[in-house]
């Protein structure tokens, strides 16, 4: 006759073996998976597994910094799950679309400069309309025109990192490449500004990845997208740019313009009409949420 104690031991060993088998699966991740390309009202479209409320990933080893990785801080409102093997984000790593000011607002964002011809013209239009904007600067452009970077800061606008090479396919490049593009441009912009750091990161063409968003957020830069693409880079004419923006404002507050990358006379002409129109409709000028 089998003893009860032996039978219980046999059952316990069987259950333990089953648990080991079911726990050995590995969840695969796509290293080059992209987010929602920067546009639209959604914060991002990257699938994620949320952590329990108030919890943080367990400490581990950070191979990039060669030191023990502290638990990732719980950032208010963040829906992305940070990779605990990477530097922890110090600002929200979700792609921002909303305004930091509640109500009827517009966030003006201006890409690809600074440009010695068009940036001063855009700055004058902003000043004439008591409007503020985020200037998403390409690192070498900032390095070449530090006077304009410092003027942007002095006039109350905010800086944004827009990479070194403006590579719209960087979401398919290596992690080392993405990290270099983000951090080197941030350093170029900070140096050109006289020590003011960029507060945002916008991937060229919206080519974000979960990795690039966390690297930017760990450096204090909130990833920023857009709700309204003015299509000014297509040079459709000032009136067409104006119609596009007016027609898409219902999509959300963050509007994309350009002050670099070519002739921006149409952009300037459109903004000269748009900004007074926005004020007349009761819109206030704000900045993207951080």
């Amino acid at each position: 006759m089998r003893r009860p104690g032996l039978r219980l031991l046999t059952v316990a060993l069987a259950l333990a073996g089953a648990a080991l088998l079911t726990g050995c699966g590995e969840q695969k991740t796509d290293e080059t998976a992209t987010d929602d390309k920067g546009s639209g009202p959604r914060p991002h479209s990257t699938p994620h597994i949320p952590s329990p409320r108030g919890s943080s990933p367990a400490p581990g080893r950070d191979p990039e910094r060669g030191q023990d990785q502290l638990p990732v801080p719980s950032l208010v409102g963040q829906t992305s799950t940070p990779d605990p093997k990477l530097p922890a984000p110090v600002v929200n790593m979700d792609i921002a679309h909303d305004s930091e000011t509640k109500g009827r607002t517009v966030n003006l964002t201006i890409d690809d400069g600074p440009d010695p011809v068009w940036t001063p013209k855009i700055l004058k239009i902003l000043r004439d309309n008591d409007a503020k904007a985020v200037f998403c600067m390409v690192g070498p452009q900032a390095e070449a025109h530090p006077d304009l970077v410092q003027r942007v800061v002095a006039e109350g606008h905010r800086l944004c990192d827009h990479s070194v090479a403006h590579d719209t396919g960087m979401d398919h490049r290596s992690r080392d490449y993405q990290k270099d593009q983000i951090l080197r441009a941030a350093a170029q912009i900070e140096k050109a500004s006289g020590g003011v750091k960029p507060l945002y990161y916008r991937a060229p063409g919206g080519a974000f990845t979960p990795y690039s968003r966390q690297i930017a957020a760990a450096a204090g830069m909130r990833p920023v997208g857009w709700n309204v693409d003015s299509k000014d880079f297509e040079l459709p004419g000032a009136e067409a740019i104006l119609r596009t923006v007016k027609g898409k404002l219902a999509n959300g507050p963050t509007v994309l313009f350009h002050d670099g990358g070519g002739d921006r006379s149409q952009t300037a002409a459109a903004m000269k009409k748009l900004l007074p129109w926005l004020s007349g409709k009761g819109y206030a000028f704000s900045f993207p949420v951080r």
Side-chain angles (χ1 to χ4, degrees):
M1 180 175 178
R2 182 176 295 177
R3 288 177 296 176
L6 180 60
R7 184 170 60 184
L8 289 173
L9 178 61
T10 303
V11 172
L13 288 172
L15 289 174
L20 285 173
L21 287 173
T22 57
C24 288
E26 180 180 358
Q27 181 176 321
K28 294 183 178 180
T29 57
D30 183 356
E31 294 292 330
T32 59
T34 59
D35 297 298
D36 108 72
K37 297 294 180 181
S39 63
R42 298 185 304 277
H44 65 85
S45 59
T46 307
H48 68 280
I49 303 173
S51 302
R53 184 179 298 274
S55 68
S56 298
R61 190 75 175 170
D62 180 0
E64 293 192 6
R65 294 190 291 184
Q67 61 187 18
D68 289 336
Q69 175 79 351
L70 296 175
V72 176
S74 177
L75 299 173
V76 175
Q78 181 168 283
T79 62
S80 301
T81 302
D83 184 343
K85 296 178 181 179
L86 299 176
V90 297
V91 295
N92 194 313
M93 64 181 278
D94 297 341
I95 300 176
H97 295 93
D98 295 334
S99 292
E100 66 179 18
T101 304
K102 301 299 182 183
R104 195 174 175 84
T105 58
V106 169
N107 308 321
L108 301 172
T109 62
I110 303 169
D111 287 15
D112 298 356
D115 180 273
V117 174
W118 302 110
T119 303
K121 295 182 186 298
I122 299 297
L123 284 170
K124 184 179 186 307
I125 294 167
L126 293 169
R127 186 171 62 252
D128 290 345
N129 289 276
D130 197 23
K132 303 301 179 188
V134 173
F135 283 80
C136 298
M137 297 183 175
V138 177
Q141 287 292 110
E143 197 170 49
H145 305 289
D147 56 324
L148 291 177
V149 182
Q150 292 168 27
R151 181 175 167 187
V152 164
V153 172
E155 296 189 16
H157 308 291
R158 292 185 182 177
L159 300 175
C160 172
D161 177 342
H162 201 36
S163 84
V164 174
H166 199 275
D167 181 357
T168 57
M170 67 182 287
D171 53 332
H172 297 291
R173 303 290 295 272
S174 71
R175 285 187 165 195
D176 285 345
Y177 177 84
Q178 294 177 55
K179 181 178 180 180
D180 177 69
Q181 286 287 304
I182 295 166
L183 298 186
R184 184 151 54 99
Q188 290 171 322
I189 294 166
E190 182 179 352
K191 182 178 179 181
S193 72
V196 179
K197 296 183 178 184
L199 297 180
Y200 305 94
Y201 166 66
R202 173 174 279 163
F208 292 99
T209 66
Y211 174 80
S212 68
R213 291 191 289 110
Q214 185 165 342
I215 291 298
M221 298 179 290
R222 175 76 185 259
V224 63
W226 61 86
N227 306 104
V228 180
D229 186 350
S230 69
K231 301 290 185 181
D232 60 343
F233 64 93
E234 295 180 355
L235 303 179
E239 290 301 321
I241 295 170
L242 199 58
R243 286 194 301 272
T244 296
V245 175
K246 288 181 178 181
K248 293 184 177 181
L249 277 176
N251 292 348
T254 304
V255 185
L256 171 62
F257 290 108
H258 296 80
D259 64 338
D263 184 342
R264 297 301 169 211
S265 56
Q266 295 180 10
T267 301
M271 289 183 69
K272 197 170 184 177
K273 292 183 178 181
L274 177 67
L275 270 53
W277 180 86
L278 288 169
S279 296
K281 293 293 182 180
Y283 286 93
F285 299 104
S286 186
F287 293 111
V289 66
R290 292 190 75 242

